[in-house]
Amino acid sequence: MADLAIVNGKLAPTAPNADPEAGTLLINGGRIEAVLPPEEYVAADQIFDAEGLLVLPGAIDIHFHCRAPSFPERGDFGSESKAAAAGGVTTIFEMPISKPCASTTEVWLARRDLAASHAHVNIGLYGAPGRLDRKEIEGMAAAGAIAFKLFTTEAVKGREDEFTGLSVTNIDEIYQALELVRDTGLRCAFHAEDQRLIDMFTARARGLEGPDHFRHLRSRPSVVETTAAAQLIAVAETIDTPIHLPHVSSKSTVDVIRHAKARGAKISAETCPHYLHFTEDILEKIGPYGKINPPIRHEEDREALWEAVREGVIDVIATDHAPFTPAEKEAAWGDILSAPPGHPGVEQLVPLMMDEALSGRLDLFHVVELISTRPAELFGLYPNKGVLRAGADADLTIYDPQSRKIINRQDGFSRGADCNRLYDGMEIQGEVAATIVGGKTVYHGGEIKGSPGDGAIVQPCN
């Protein structure tokens, strides 16, 4: 007898422009044992009646900042993985920023053990290769790092220990780091912004007249991102190793990526819901709460990003979930350049993308690709994750497409939920009905049902 059967639901489409089809999932030992026609009788210890609901492969958020064990007032692996579960996200990839930075095998292993004991969903952990120490890089890879991450910007003043081995601004050191990462077979992600240009434009922005909220974008115009991205692509092509460009925010960077992909460059690209849904004008209302690096930009950038998503130039939608406390954000009113950069978002990823599918603006099959299948493929988790088929992990997002919901930041599970000023008040179609991780229901009916440790530490399987 199976552990769980999910019956009466509509399963995610298996081809572009196809409709969801009725079916039954039989789950045993944390995996999908069979995908059955709806009329076939099943016996299971538990039956989940998904009448009227969509059953999707679990969402994978590949860009996540918890920072644990540092800054527990902002969030920890427990609170932020609860937020992921409530948002229908079954796997998160945690960045290496912490105190100290996860740039050694020892620190990486300590974070892994901490995450494993607190996680309500699966967690993959990035390592930072910027020490240029082959032993440490190979050690993190062997221990199960999901990938590596580097910033091409300097560490934030006063936070140097959080970025040791993560911030590498010299192109010769970036080249060496990529050579070392190439030998592990893993992908390296880059926060791509040019530090010298940031310094120049920030100095200019401080002297500008006009509303304070405009200064953030003026300090980081699109050339800051595009110059860094083009340089990284050139290095990666020379070394012949894959790289990932997170949080792409500008039309000019999209153009660079499009041309690079056309000539066969081994690059993947990601953008975030905040770049797709807003322009810099939102900062007039929410001020420092909307400060994110790279910045939210102009309408032409927003439109170019949507076009890149539709074309497949953008591979993944992820959140760059980065909670802070309201006190930290509030202190920067009138001086947005001093505000900490980041915004919570993991609870909104699935609802926002499903809203696009249910409205007909994006094909549901493509939405599943963007938030589940492609992340799994790019980071070596496919076919264990990102697909509904026999043998895959039973990580599932069950979505109610019928209801309409207004996002209320006070309902959030993230410890930084009160900083959710971007999405607060947005009306969307549908809501997450349940989240299942490894065959166990961890969220259902608006409540966390699981326990700390229900999530597993994930590592590339191929």
Side-chain angles (χ1 to χ4, degrees):
M1 182 177 289
D3 297 329
L4 173 67
I6 300 175
V7 301
N8 299 325
K10 293 287 186 72
L11 307 185
T14 57
N17 302 311
D19 292 327
E21 293 188 0
T24 294
L25 293 184
L26 207 60
I27 294 168
N28 221 1
R31 291 183 177 272
I32 298 173
E33 185 173 275
V35 182
L36 303 172
E39 65 275 9
E40 186 164 333
Y41 172 79
V42 294
D45 291 334
Q46 291 182 289
I47 301 291
F48 188 109
D49 187 354
E51 179 72 37
L53 305 178
L54 295 171
V55 182
L56 312 172
I60 302 172
D61 188 352
I62 68 172
H63 196 154
F64 197 89
H65 297 272
C66 168
R67 311 183 192 89
S70 313
F71 308 109
E73 68 278 9
R74 299 175 184 167
D76 55 32
F77 284 122
S79 68
E80 303 317 291
S81 64
K82 283 182 181 179
V89 174
T90 57
T91 302
I92 55 178
F93 289 1
E94 167 68 6
M95 292 297 173
I97 299 174
S98 187
K99 289 177 74 69
C101 179
S103 57
T104 67
T105 307
E106 180 182 10
V107 173
W108 191 95
L109 288 170
R111 293 198 84 204
R112 180 199 66 182
D113 294 344
L114 180 67
S117 64
H118 289 84
H120 290 261
V121 302
N122 303 316
I123 298 181
L125 293 168
Y126 287 89
R131 292 176 182 266
L132 306 182
D133 186 320
R134 180 180 293 275
K135 181 180 178 181
E136 298 293 357
I137 292 169
E138 291 179 348
M140 288 184 281
I146 197 69
F148 289 94
K149 171 71 180 286
L150 285 173
F151 279 65
T152 61
T153 57
E154 294 175 353
V156 178
K157 188 175 182 181
R159 296 176 58 190
E160 289 81 3
D161 58 340
E162 298 176 61
F163 288 83
T164 302
L166 180 58
S167 287
V168 180
T169 59
N170 295 328
I171 192 62
D172 59 325
E173 293 181 339
I174 291 171
Y175 195 103
Q176 293 173 66
L178 267 181
E179 287 182 313
L180 293 168
V181 170
R182 176 193 58 193
D183 294 342
T184 70
L186 297 178
R187 192 171 291 263
C188 192
F190 284 90
H191 179 118
E193 290 185 292
D194 186 278
Q195 184 63 53
R196 291 186 179 182
L197 289 176
I198 290 172
D199 293 342
M200 181 185 77
F201 284 114
T202 298
R204 292 180 179 180
R206 290 190 186 281
L208 291 175
E209 296 182 358
D212 176 66
H213 67 274
F214 284 145
R215 290 190 173 89
H216 180 45
L217 180 52
R218 303 307 179 271
S219 72
R220 283 171 141 93
S222 59
V223 67
V224 169
E225 176 186 74
T226 306
T227 300
Q231 191 173 49
L232 291 168
I233 290 169
V235 169
E237 286 187 286
T238 301
I239 299 173
D240 192 28
T241 192
I243 62 170
H244 179 70
L245 295 176
H247 50 45
V248 173
S249 66
S250 67
K251 179 181 184 299
S252 54
T253 303
V254 164
D255 290 340
V256 167
I257 294 168
R258 181 182 287 111
H259 288 300
K261 284 192 167 190
R263 63 177 181 266
K266 297 177 181 178
I267 59 173
S268 54
E270 154 209 320
T271 194
C272 308
H274 43 267
Y275 301 122
L276 293 170
H277 286 87
F278 302 100
T279 66
E280 68 163 341
D281 295 338
I282 191 67
L283 272 68
E284 183 176 5
K285 176 183 177 183
I286 67 173
Y289 289 96
K291 181 184 176 181
I292 301 168
N293 292 337
I296 297 170
R297 301 191 186 276
H298 303 294
E299 179 63 20
E300 69 170 353
D301 297 296
R302 194 180 77 85
E303 292 176 356
L305 289 167
W306 272 120
E307 183 61 27
V309 168
R310 288 188 287 266
E311 289 179 4
V313 174
I314 296 291
D315 299 274
V316 176
I317 309 293
T319 67
D320 196 6
H321 177 83
F324 287 91
T325 66
E328 290 174 301
K329 289 289 192 177
E330 284 289 331
W333 278 103
D335 184 15
I336 197 167
L337 294 178
S338 70
H343 189 278
V346 71
E347 293 175 71
Q348 278 69 58
L349 174 63
V350 172
L352 288 170
M353 295 309 297
M354 286 302 296
D355 189 64
E356 297 299 317
L358 296 171
S359 69
R361 290 186 292 269
L362 284 180
D363 177 33
L364 178 57
F365 178 82
H366 192 191
V367 167
V368 172
E369 281 192 315
L370 288 163
I371 63 174
S372 184
T373 309
R374 285 297 285 151
E377 289 173 340
L378 290 169
F379 291 87
L381 299 179
Y382 189 88
N384 289 345
K385 299 188 187 297
V387 65
L388 301 182
R389 72 183 190 191
D393 295 338
D395 294 345
L396 308 170
T397 303
I398 300 180
Y399 201 78
D400 177 2
Q402 303 299 326
S403 65
R404 290 197 67 82
K405 183 176 180 179
I406 295 177
I407 296 171
N408 184 342
R409 69 177 188 269
Q410 302 301 331
D411 296 336
F413 285 81
S414 169
R415 202 162 288 163
D418 196 37
C419 288
N420 180 14
R421 306 303 170 94
L422 281 171
Y423 308 113
D424 191 40
M426 285 183 66
E427 185 176 2
I428 54 173
Q429 183 70 39
E431 62 182 326
V432 175
T435 305
I436 295 174
V437 175
K440 182 171 183 179
T441 301
V442 297
Y443 173 84
H444 186 212
E447 297 181 355
I448 298 296
K449 298 295 186 181
S451 304
D454 281 342
I457 301 299
V458 297
Q459 61 188 70
C461 62
N462 51 55

